[in-house]
Amino acid sequence: MLWNSKGKPNAFLKVSYSLLAKFFFFAIAPFFSITAATVVLDPGHGGRYLYPYRLYGDKFDKASGGYLDRYREGARERGIYESEWMYALAQRIKSYLDKTLLPKGHSFFKSLLARYGKAPSKIKPVRSFLSRQPSYYVNYYKRREDLNEDFRLFDYENWRTGEKKLGTISRINSYCPELVVTLHLTETKVSPKGGLASVITPGYTTFELARQYIMAPENERSSFAQAFEKTPYANWFISEGGYNAWQSFLKDAWIYFTGYAPEKNGLHPKSWRGLRHNLISWSYAEDSEGIERPLWQIEGRFWERERSLAEKWRREGGEEGYGGDNFFASQQLLRFIRLGLFLNKVDSARSLPEIFPPYISTWAVPTFVNAVSAYLEVAHLGSKRDFQRISRHLEIYAQSISVGIYYLFYPFPLHQIKIQDRPLPKGVDFDKYREYPGGNYFTAVGPCWGMNHGP
Ligand SMILES: [Zn+2]
């Protein structure tokens, strides 16, 4: 008899329901809820540079129905395609992290951690997702109408059907991740020894120096330029020939605030480049459709977010002295790569790739996600030694980054190894974002519809 006379489930069934609920929370929930650490692995690029970029590029401009920027297909060096190799790296990292999800993978994962330190007795789950599909040449014929369809960073409309499509940044945010690990290779020329570097974007207070400079009367401007020189960001990334760091910073600040690239003096708008925070699907887009937007508008949801404490934590100050948790998380993972190369005897303590100063600019992924963003240049392909390392030892990069990701969530004591730039004995404080006033900062980025896709 399952139902009592009043048509309600009897005690036996009630017990079963509660058992079922318990089973859900302890056995199934780690896969389908935010109780597990959630990471998006974000291999760079994936599409192809095609001319003309108005038809095939990235940053879709609704007003003109074309793209505002060329598609950036990434580095290529002697048979190594960045987009393909970073996809393979992300897949391998995921296959390691997936070992944390089921008890039968725990002993394997523990033995991996044990190479780096004293492995914890209990492995905790780290769920990971990839931000994109394999690069365009997989399923080339199926894709040939629009090779960049699945690889644009920003949202766009299908040119034939008008259907709205999500870009990679919106897809990342749909998982409401706590950590995003972006993986790139670069062709930037460095010493033959090669090296590793973080990619970071500063917070609002730094960009505000540019806005103040532009707004100020001419005779008061120089104080803001001098203030910028004193910040840790003065070594700004130079993306345009003939520009210095200050001019590059001004240009990027214009794009950040107004969507316009300025003239070289940084005082007047020149060309429309798109207001990036409105080119993605998330809870901070401005709903100013049809309303003339003031050029220097700094009110509204996105700008409140930019000036929030959480963004300050992500992008300013912190363990490294600047760059916030984003820079700290990035540097920790780079230190784990060094540790991995040393422990696996790829390098001696002296031949290890050094960690270069970060690439600082207004990069899209670290700016437009609420997760802690670790953005890594894992090798400089122009360097012979780096080329060898990445082409022969991709598995060691995958292992060390996986261990590093686990460590950022759940730090454990590392072996005392005498090399420079060892990981600092500390993880990222994710709880301060989870317990953010007004609700979990990671899930505030938008509806988390990607969460239930499963690993
Ligand atoms: Zn790249």
Side-chain angles (χ1 to χ4, degrees), residues 129-167:
F129 302 92
L130 263 56
S131 67
R132 66 166 174 88
Q133 300 184 23
S135 306
Y136 71 89
Y137 26 85
V138 177
N139 293 325
Y140 186 92
Y141 281 95
K142 225 178 90 194
R143 294 183 186 285
R144 68 188 184 280
E145 273 195 4
D146 182 2
L147 289 177
N148 293 332
E149 181 156 47
D150 295 317
F151 309 110
R152 295 193 169 93
L153 279 178
F154 296 92
D155 295 358
Y156 61 98
E157 285 170 17
N158 179 291
W159 67 275
R160 247 174 349 110
T161 62
E163 189 193 349
K164 286 189 173 49
K165 303 280 258 174
L166 293 182

Side-chain angles (χ1 to χ4, degrees), residues 382-452:
S383 134
K384 200 175 157 198
R385 187 72 188 105
D386 256 1
F387 182 88
Q388 285 173 347
R389 281 190 194 102
I390 200 79
S391 55
R392 292 179 194 166
H393 304 291
L394 197 66
E395 205 61 52
I396 290 164
Y397 285 80
Q399 287 174 359
S400 56
I401 294 170
S402 310
V403 173
I405 289 171
Y406 189 88
Y407 187 93
L408 290 179
F409 285 101
Y410 311 115
F412 57 92
L414 296 173
H415 297 316
Q416 290 299 313
I417 289 160
K418 285 206 173 81
I419 58 167
Q420 286 190 323
D421 278 333
R422 285 185 305 130
L424 305 184
K426 140 175 239 193
V428 169
D429 178 10
F430 289 100
D431 279 340
K432 66 178 189 269
Y433 299 96
R434 291 174 184 140
E435 291 151 17
Y436 197 58
N440 187 326
Y441 190 65
F442 298 125
T443 55
V445 75
C448 309
W449 58 265
M451 293 291 280
N452 294 328

Side-chain angles (χ1 to χ4, degrees), residues 331-349:
Q331 295 290 92
Q332 286 287 77
L333 294 184
L334 298 183
R335 292 174 191 132
F336 268 96
I337 293 174
R338 281 171 53 91
L339 195 52
L341 292 169
F342 179 79
L343 289 170
N344 289 281
K345 300 188 166 59
V346 175
D347 279 285
S348 69

Side-chain angles (χ1 to χ4, degrees), residues 63 79 112 114 160 162 172 200 261 280 372 377:
L112 181 61
R160 247 174 349 110
I172 291 174
I200 60 167
I280 55 177
V372 172
E377 297 287 359

Side-chain angles (χ1 to χ4, degrees), residues 216-334:
E218 208 182 328
N219 59 349
E220 288 167 27
R221 279 201 187 117
S222 60
S223 66
F224 297 105
Q226 283 159 12
F228 174 74
E229 288 304 320
K230 290 194 191 99
T231 71
Y233 307 105
N235 193 17
W236 199 264
F237 180 71
I238 298 169
S239 61
E240 200 152 343
Y243 276 56
N244 62 29
W246 166 251
Q247 289 160 335
S248 306
F249 167 65
L250 277 184
K251 182 182 143 204
D252 285 351
W254 265 90
I255 294 169
Y256 167 79
F257 281 113
T258 72
Y260 282 93
E263 286 173 0
K264 197 171 174 181
N265 64 13
L267 293 175
H268 309 286
K270 195 173 77 181
S271 57
W272 177 242
R273 301 289 290 274
L275 202 55
R276 298 173 301 163
H277 64 266
N278 290 339
L279 302 181
I280 55 177
S281 305
W282 66 337
S283 59
Y284 306 102
E286 289 169 2
D287 40 13
S288 55
E289 196 106 28
I291 304 163
E292 194 67 17
R293 181 188 189 273
L295 193 60
W296 291 91
Q297 174 167 310
I298 50 166
E299 271 139 53
R301 280 178 298 213
F302 174 68
W303 299 104
E304 277 163 34
R305 170 195 185 268
E306 284 300 285
R307 291 187 289 261
S308 70
L309 187 57
E311 284 309 299
K312 205 174 150 204
W313 290 336
R314 283 197 332 117
R315 286 148 65 181
E316 296 279 359
E319 285 299 316
E320 307 292 327
Y322 65 104
D325 284 332
N326 289 355
F327 190 34
F328 174 57
S330 308
Q331 295 290 92
Q332 286 287 77
L333 294 184
L334 298 183

Side-chain angles (χ1 to χ4, degrees), residues 44-45 74-75 82 183-185 375 377:
H45 316 281
E82 177 186 358
L183 302 163
H184 281 258
L185 298 170
Y375 194 134
E377 297 287 359

Side-chain angles (χ1 to χ4, degrees), residues 43-45 72-75 82-83 86 182-187 375-377:
H45 316 281
R72 286 153 208 275
E73 65 176 22
E82 177 186 358
S83 73
M86 292 302 98
T182 298
L183 302 163
H184 281 258
L185 298 170
T186 172
E187 291 163 321
Y375 194 134
L376 315 177
E377 297 287 359

